[in-house]
Amino acid sequence: MSDPVLLEQIMVAAGIGLLGAVVFAAIGLVSGTDETTTLAPLTLLVVLLGVPPAGVFTFFLAGAVAKHMTHAVPTALLGIPGDTLATPLLQDANMLRKLGVPHIALRKMVSGAIVAAFVAVPLAVLFAVLLAPFGAAITKSAPWIFLAAALLIAYFSAGRWAAVALLVPFVMVIIALQSLTAKYGVKLSISYFLGIAIGPLIADLFTVLSPQGRGKMLRDKVRTFSLAPDVKGWSGYFPNPLKVMDRVQTRWTLATAAVSSATFVFSPVAMTVVLGELVGSRVKHAYHRLTTVLSARNGVTEATYIAEALIPLIAFGLPLSPVAAGPAAPLFNAPPRFTVDAATGQTHNLHNLLNHWEFLGYGMLAVLLAAVVSYPFAMNFARRAALFVSRKVSHEAIIATFVGLIIVISVWEGQFLGLLVILTMGLIGGLLSRLFGFNTGVQFMGYYTAVLSVPAIVKLFG
């Protein structure tokens, strides 16, 4: 006899996951929509609305997987990256556009993503289970692990040693803001997180207000795009991804997805670049190399995102990866529902509320929902969708929507002080990201260093 409570949980998770897949499949079509700026605030909203843990998890994962399929549409067809992780795919995609086969690039990318997603979830859960026995020791050592992870992630970011050095003043700014808000009896956490997430956007808005900055952003002509005719090479609505890719491409996609599913500390962009270069060095024929690298790289974007969210969440409950500290942060720390205790490293989040089998089951459900929504849509309607987005969708309206959402959440948490903290963190973080490559992943680790590591350091040497 089926358990009615479990059945209800599955139905709720499926419904919320389907919503996430649809929403982020659409957002992925809009070029330049950063994962942190979109995934994080909407996931946070789902958490704060009281959605059950299984629904929160399924919403996030289905959204992430769906977005990393449809982000291939503007990347392949328009020659502009769909989001941050699509940037390493742009050069190879543009070369195939010049050859007149952007539809081939798109199909290889989307097929690589769906295959990698189905592989990454069980492998990430497996690696997390293997690491779980060390969870208690890692949790106890959380302040020092966060410090080490922050330094490591900073070094492997685009800023390298500059990013490592910038951690010190960035952490000091957070501590100073915490001291200021504490004087007025206001304790903030979400506002710091949202400020970092939309930092580049706030920096751009301030740049537009400056005559000097506005002058640098002026363009002498309207940007134009050329779309090749769509060519369909299959019958039916849902093509088989294993037939879209050849055997060599399938093998490389599976291999790179397996490797990236076991790593959770390094930058997703770095993993995409490094594994793509590895694949490219093993394929000699130029055209086959381009299509194989695109298949593998987009598979890596899926697998890395899944692993960097799942492994820290399942094994430790602590956001010990760039993805966990960035787009997936609401799964770990979203007071008052989910918390990471700054003093002890103790957690109350999805790590405590779902077991390993639930993570596996709901994770596969999320991937299935994203596959049903995004894969056939991208394969059958990509050209029409890209044409509609480029002609009809206002990027300003999308940005304004997210700005409005973030203002509401910040005022809810800290009234006017919450809004001021978001503006301050966003402006500082956005400028540091633009000028020094001090990206949002490093900044999130800087935030956790401030709230976890600094108190431990002061206690040790105080």
Side-chain angles (χ1 to χ4, degrees):
M1 176 179 279
S2 61
D3 185 347
V5 176
L6 177 59
L7 184 60
E8 182 182 357
Q9 280 185 342
I10 294 173
M11 295 301 293
V12 170
I16 299 296
L18 181 61
L19 176 64
V22 171
V23 169
F24 285 102
I27 291 175
L29 296 171
V30 182
S31 58
T33 49
D34 180 72
E35 296 93 339
T36 305
T37 311
T38 53
L39 265 171
L42 288 183
T43 304
L44 178 60
L45 181 63
V46 169
V47 174
L48 296 179
L49 287 174
V51 173
V56 172
F57 176 69
T58 310
F59 176 88
F60 170 83
L61 196 59
V65 173
K67 191 178 191 306
H68 286 133
M69 278 192 260
T70 56
H71 79 179
V73 175
T75 306
L77 300 187
L78 300 178
I80 46 179
D83 52 32
T84 307
L85 273 184
T87 305
L89 310 171
L90 192 59
Q91 182 178 357
D92 293 330
N94 279 338
M95 293 180 74
L96 287 175
R97 285 180 71 241
K98 293 177 181 178
L99 292 174
V101 288
H103 55 287
I104 299 296
L106 174 67
R107 292 169 191 170
K108 299 294 185 181
M109 291 161 70
V110 178
S111 298
I114 189 174
V115 169
F118 277 106
V119 170
V121 169
L123 285 180
V125 173
L126 173 62
F127 291 127
V129 170
L130 294 176
L131 289 170
F134 307 100
I138 290 174
T139 300
K140 187 177 180 180
S141 307
W144 311 110
I145 292 173
F146 271 105
L147 179 60
L151 294 171
L152 187 65
I153 293 171
Y155 177 76
F156 283 101
S157 71
R160 287 293 176 122
W161 287 113
V164 173
L166 282 167
L167 275 171
V168 176
F170 188 78
V171 168
M172 293 303 296
V173 168
I174 294 174
I175 294 171
L177 288 173
Q178 286 178 324
S179 300
L180 173 65
T181 57
K183 288 184 178 181
Y184 296 93
V186 176
K187 186 176 181 181
L188 301 174
S189 59
I190 297 174
S191 295
Y192 291 99
F193 158 70
L194 290 177
I196 293 170
I198 64 167
L201 171 61
I202 292 179
D204 283 344
L205 291 176
F206 273 87
T207 302
V208 171
L209 295 175
S210 163
Q212 182 179 2
R214 189 164 57 248
K216 294 179 180 179
M217 299 177 77
L218 288 175
R219 300 292 181 265
D220 56 0
K221 60 182 179 180
V222 177
R223 190 171 184 179
T224 58
F225 305 101
S226 299
L227 277 175
D230 198 9
V231 180
K232 187 174 180 179
W234 63 88
S235 59
Y237 180 69
F238 201 105
N240 185 348
L242 298 178
K243 291 184 178 179
V244 175
M245 298 186 295
D246 61 33
R247 291 185 178 180
V248 172
Q249 291 163 352
T250 301
R251 285 199 298 268
W252 276 117
T253 300
L254 291 172
T256 51
V259 171
S260 53
S261 297
T263 56
F264 64 96
V265 174
F266 301 107
S267 161
V269 174
M271 291 295 296
T272 304
V273 171
V274 170
L275 291 179
E277 292 295 329
L278 175 65
V279 173
S281 67
R282 297 294 188 273
V283 181
K284 294 182 179 180
H285 188 276
Y287 175 79
H288 194 224
R289 180 170 62 249
L290 289 174
T291 53
T292 304
V293 168
L294 280 175
S295 302
R297 275 186 171 164
N298 207 38
V300 170
T301 69
E302 287 282 26
T304 307
Y305 237 72
I306 291 170
E308 292 203 7
L310 263 63
I311 293 177
L313 187 61
I314 298 171
F316 318 121
L318 300 171
L320 295 175
S321 76
V323 172
L331 306 181
F332 296 83
N333 192 35
R337 284 198 69 192
F338 301 155
T339 57
V340 174
D341 190 274
T344 64
Q346 295 299 308
T347 64
H348 177 74
N349 51 37
L350 293 184
H351 170 75
N352 311 98
L353 301 173
L354 298 176
N355 60 43
H356 300 156
W357 291 108
E358 288 174 319
F359 276 113
L360 176 61
Y362 291 121
M364 294 304 292
L365 174 62
V367 172
L368 180 63
L369 291 169
V372 169
V373 171
S374 282
Y375 181 69
F377 174 78
M379 296 293 281
N380 291 289
F381 305 108
R383 188 181 189 279
R384 275 176 278 180
L387 195 61
F388 175 80
V389 169
S390 60
R391 286 181 173 176
K392 304 293 184 182
V393 175
S394 167
H395 286 212
E396 291 81 3
I398 293 173
I399 290 171
T401 301
F402 280 99
V403 168
L405 171 64
I406 287 163
I407 289 174
V408 169
I409 294 175
S410 66
V411 172
W412 167 81
E413 185 190 34
Q415 293 79 48
F416 187 62
L417 276 176
L419 186 58
L420 289 179
V421 166
I422 279 187
L423 284 174
T424 304
M425 292 303 304
L427 180 59
I428 294 173
L431 291 175
L432 291 178
S433 177
R434 290 270 189 264
L435 296 175
F436 301 102
F438 189 71
N439 62 40
T440 54
V442 183
Q443 292 174 33
F444 279 116
M445 294 309 296
Y447 168 74
Y448 286 108
T449 300
V451 299
L452 282 172
S453 304
V454 170
I457 294 171
V458 171
K459 184 178 179 180
L460 182 66
F461 295 101

